[in-house]
Structure formats: structure tokens, C-alpha cells
Amino acid sequence: MSLYRRGNTWWYTFRFAGQRICESAKTHSKTVARDAERARRRELEEGYNGVSRREQARLFNLAADTWLETRTPHVASKTIELYKLAIRHLKREFGGTLLSDIAADDVARYQAKRTGDGASGRTVNMETGVLRQILRKYKLWGKISDDVRPLKERRDIGRALTPEEEAALLAAAADRRYQDSPFYVIVVLALNTAMRSQEIKTLRWRQVDLVNRCLTVGRSKTDAGTGRVIPLNQSAAAVLEYWHSRSANVAPDDCVFPACENHHVDPSRPVTSFRTAWRNATKKAGLAGLRFHDLRHTAITKLAETIASDQTIMAIAGHVSRKMLEHYSHVRLEAKRRALEAIERPAFQPDYLQFSLQSENPEKAARRN
């Protein structure tokens, strides 16, 4: 234990469960500060050992690790990585703080600090969302929820390629430098199934039915996405049949797109990245800055331009946010408008309208005037 003064106020510091606890005793008396330190240490020890009100006396560090363990079996590995990154930032601010001591003002200060460091509103909202879930697990979110406000986010729900841009991207992906890689197959599959990058990477041959031309998605980002069945159109089926014919001695549990390091293919592990190929292809196609996720957006947009219902789109895509569905409803309206304009024959003629008005009964025309 160590007591020291800051101005006229006494502070105490000690280590507990590997964390340094440093707090103000809020008193001018050294004796009272010593008693406050002992009381806080006892509170921590009782909480840690489950003697009393364990949830109320948990340090954020411990609570965050426990929460992450409970979430790991239920979400995709990529989501867990995002959680870990968020918790890493949160621990810097709240690591040695008791969950019960986190107030709305503390969350607001965290938001200001992170945005000051250059983090986007969406990133900070994701991090505070993780904090919310941790506090909710221990029944502590309710007391501050009304006073916590999310940050404004940039309204960016994705980009859909035009037919010309899609053709340019496919041509770039078919470049001879990728003839021994699955890159072209991956791009075609994304454009024709609306699958996410991670869903494609982790695909195994037992999930692909080339006879009935469909595939079953494995573990997905959402519960709605996991296990969904996607029919394969002619393009998707053709590239998968081609890729299957290129693979020797394919086993059901082999990855469709296996990892390859130093020219050694390991069918038991999925490919982890095709970032370099993607960057080169988009640059060649004149689409620098395009995200791979925009291929999913392109596929869903094309579905919305058909007669597909919201339920059909969601069944294929696995999950579509309300904001995106609102966007796609406008896409459908525009598609209908273009369809009706295409059958507009003859086009509207102002001269015809003028002739019709002049041909009216003079008394009726006078009343109109």
C-alpha cells in the first residue's frame, strides 16, 4: 500500500489481480485515507472471490475477458478479432476500473478521446457497443443507458458497380498472372452469390453441390447467414466446376480455396488473404479504392432491380440492415421507372396537347380559361 498527497487530498495506490489501482480517497485526513484504501481492497477481494456482489465489484479487465470467452463460440472468428481490437482500446481507458464505477461521463470522455486520436464515428460506436454488451451482461448498462449518445456515422452503405465497371473488374481478374490462383473464381462467386469474403474463404467442398447447383454457407457473421442455402446460377456453377476440375484428389473436407505458401498448397487450411491481387486488379480496372465487400453490395443491388422480394434478398444474402433495405427499395422503384419509360411510345408531344385543347367545345374551353 502507498499513500500520497496531491495538493491537500490524499490518494492511495496498490496492485490487485495484476492491475495497479490508483484512486483518490477524497479526504484531507491520512487516517481516513488509510481506512478508505483498506475498504476498497476488501471490496475488490470479496468481489473477485464471489463473497458478495461479484458482478458489482468486477474490474473491467476481468469482466471483458470473461465476456469475450462467452461470445467466442457463437460468432465468426473475424467478429472475435474485431471484439479483441475494441477491448484492447477499452482496456487502456477502463482496464483498472470497477464496472460499477463506469459512468456516462466516462463513456463521453472515451468517445472524445478516441475521435481525437482519429478514430471514425463508426469505429468508436462499435467499441462503445462492446462496452455496452459487457455492462449489460452484469446488469449495469441500464443505469447509464439514457445518458450515453452514439456518435454520428458517415452514411456509407456500400457501392454497386455499373455493368461496365463489373466487366472491367472481371477482365482484370482474368489476367494471366492469376491463372494458377482462385482469384477470378472468387470474384465471380462474390458477384453472383452475395457471399461475404469470410464466407467464401472458409468454403469447403462438402458445402458445394455441383449436381443440384447450390451451396450451403458455413459459419457466418450472423445467425441468419449461417447455414443458408444459395442456388448457383450458370456463372457461379461454371467457375466452381472449372475450379473443381483443376484440383486433384479433392476430399469433401478440403477447402475450396486452400492456403498456399511458398508454392505449397494446404487444402486443410483456407486462404487468408488475396489483398495484393485485389489491389492490382481494381487498379487495372480503374476502380482503385473499391472494397471487396462492394461485390456483395453489387449482387444485392442487382437482385433488388429484379422482382425479388425483401424476403428473397435476405434469404440469399443472410442479413441486410434496415438502412440497406431502404436503399434497395429506391433501387427497385428506379428500375420500375426505367422499365415504364422504355415502353413509352409515342413520346409525349406538347403540340398534340395544344391541338386537343383547341378542338374542345368552345364553351368548355372558355370555362377552362
Side-chain angles (χ1 to χ4, degrees):
M1 180 187 74
S2 176
L3 295 175
Y4 61 95
R5 294 177 66 174
R6 288 185 181 176
N8 293 324
T9 303
W10 283 94
W11 287 63
Y12 54 79
T13 178
F14 59 89
R15 297 194 68 81
F16 177 78
Q19 300 294 321
R20 181 172 178 266
I21 308 298
C22 180
E23 298 175 344
S24 170
K26 299 180 176 62
T27 180
H28 301 323
S29 169
K30 184 176 181 179
T31 301
V32 173
R34 184 179 294 111
D35 292 340
E37 182 275 333
R38 289 171 179 167
R40 174 47 68 97
R41 183 189 290 273
R42 181 177 179 83
E43 179 185 18
L44 291 172
E45 290 173 350
E46 289 179 347
Y48 185 81
N49 291 286
V51 175
S52 63
R53 301 182 68 187
R54 182 170 185 172
E55 291 80 5
Q56 295 287 335
R58 278 207 168 207
L59 288 171
F60 178 83
N61 269 345
L62 302 174
D65 292 341
T66 300
W67 174 83
L68 187 62
E69 289 177 4
T70 62
R71 293 298 299 152
T72 298
H74 305 291
V75 296
S77 58
K78 188 173 182 180
T79 302
I80 292 298
E81 292 304 314
L82 292 175
Y83 286 161
K84 288 180 178 178
L85 181 60
I87 290 174
R88 193 178 309 144
H89 287 291
L90 290 167
K91 281 185 176 181
R92 293 171 185 168
E93 185 71 18
F94 304 111
T97 305
L98 289 172
L99 287 183
S100 55
D101 288 345
I102 298 177
D105 289 343
D106 299 319
V107 179
R109 280 192 291 270
Y110 176 81
Q111 292 171 320
K113 182 177 180 181
R114 290 288 290 130
T115 54
D117 292 339
S120 68
R122 181 172 184 175
T123 297
V124 178
N125 286 341
M126 189 272 288
E127 292 168 1
T128 54
V130 171
L131 175 64
R132 179 183 68 247
Q133 293 185 59
I134 294 171
L135 292 175
R136 183 174 289 168
K137 173 178 173 61
Y138 295 96
K139 308 298 188 293
L140 293 171
W141 173 251
K143 69 177 185 178
I144 66 172
S145 60
D146 292 341
D147 299 318
V148 176
R149 295 288 180 268
L151 300 180
K152 290 184 178 180
E153 299 182 13
R154 186 179 65 182
R155 297 181 65 84
D156 179 14
I157 60 173
R159 170 186 177 185
L161 297 175
T162 64
E164 295 75 19
E165 291 173 332
E166 184 176 345
L169 177 63
L170 289 171
D175 190 281
R176 293 180 62 182
R177 77 179 80 176
Y178 309 126
Q179 63 182 357
D180 294 326
S181 80
F183 181 61
Y184 177 79
V185 179
I186 289 173
V187 172
V188 172
L189 198 61
L191 283 168
N192 288 276
T193 62
M195 292 173 69
R196 298 179 177 89
S197 170
Q198 193 66 16
E199 294 170 348
I200 294 175
K201 290 176 183 175
T202 57
L203 195 63
R204 295 182 182 269
W205 283 114
R206 57 179 160 75
Q207 298 168 238
V208 180
D209 185 348
L210 293 175
V211 175
N212 295 308
R213 286 179 40 174
C214 63
L215 63 80
T216 303
V217 176
R219 189 173 182 180
S220 182
K221 180 180 179 181
T222 64
D223 292 339
T226 301
R228 70 185 189 277
V229 178
I230 301 178
L232 299 174
N233 60 21
Q234 185 174 352
S235 296
V239 293
L240 283 174
E241 288 173 356
Y242 160 77
W243 187 243
H244 186 272
S245 68
R246 289 284 305 272
S247 307
N249 302 319
V250 174
D253 284 333
D254 286 351
C255 293
V256 176
F257 307 112
C260 181
E261 298 177 0
N262 299 321
H263 303 287
H264 174 69
V265 177
D266 183 357
S268 66
R269 295 190 300 112
V271 62
T272 56
S273 175
F274 41 81
R275 186 177 304 171
T276 301
W278 176 255
R279 188 184 299 114
N280 292 336
T282 52
K283 183 178 180 180
K284 182 178 180 180
L287 299 169
L290 184 74
R291 305 173 306 167
F292 186 84
H293 192 73
D294 290 330
L295 302 189
R296 171 178 163 86
H297 191 83
T298 300
I300 297 176
T301 298
K302 290 194 294 184
L303 284 171
E305 290 179 338
T306 67
I307 60 173
S309 65
D310 289 349
Q311 289 73 21
T312 300
I313 293 174
M314 294 180 71
I316 294 173
H319 170 76
V320 180
S321 70
R322 180 176 299 176
K323 185 187 298 183
M324 293 181 74
L325 278 179
E326 290 174 355
H327 172 77
Y328 295 135
S329 68
H330 295 309
V331 170
R332 280 194 292 271
L333 178 62
E334 185 60 29
K336 293 174 184 177
R337 190 186 309 280
R338 291 197 302 269
L340 291 174
E341 288 175 350
I343 64 172
E344 186 183 10
R345 297 291 184 275
F348 172 69
Q349 298 292 335
D351 293 342
Y352 175 78
L353 178 60
Q354 184 68 23
F355 174 78
S356 299
L357 291 176
Q358 291 175 353
S359 302
E360 289 181 351
N361 184 295
E363 294 182 2
K364 184 176 181 181
R367 287 195 301 272
R368 180 188 297 277
N369 292 333

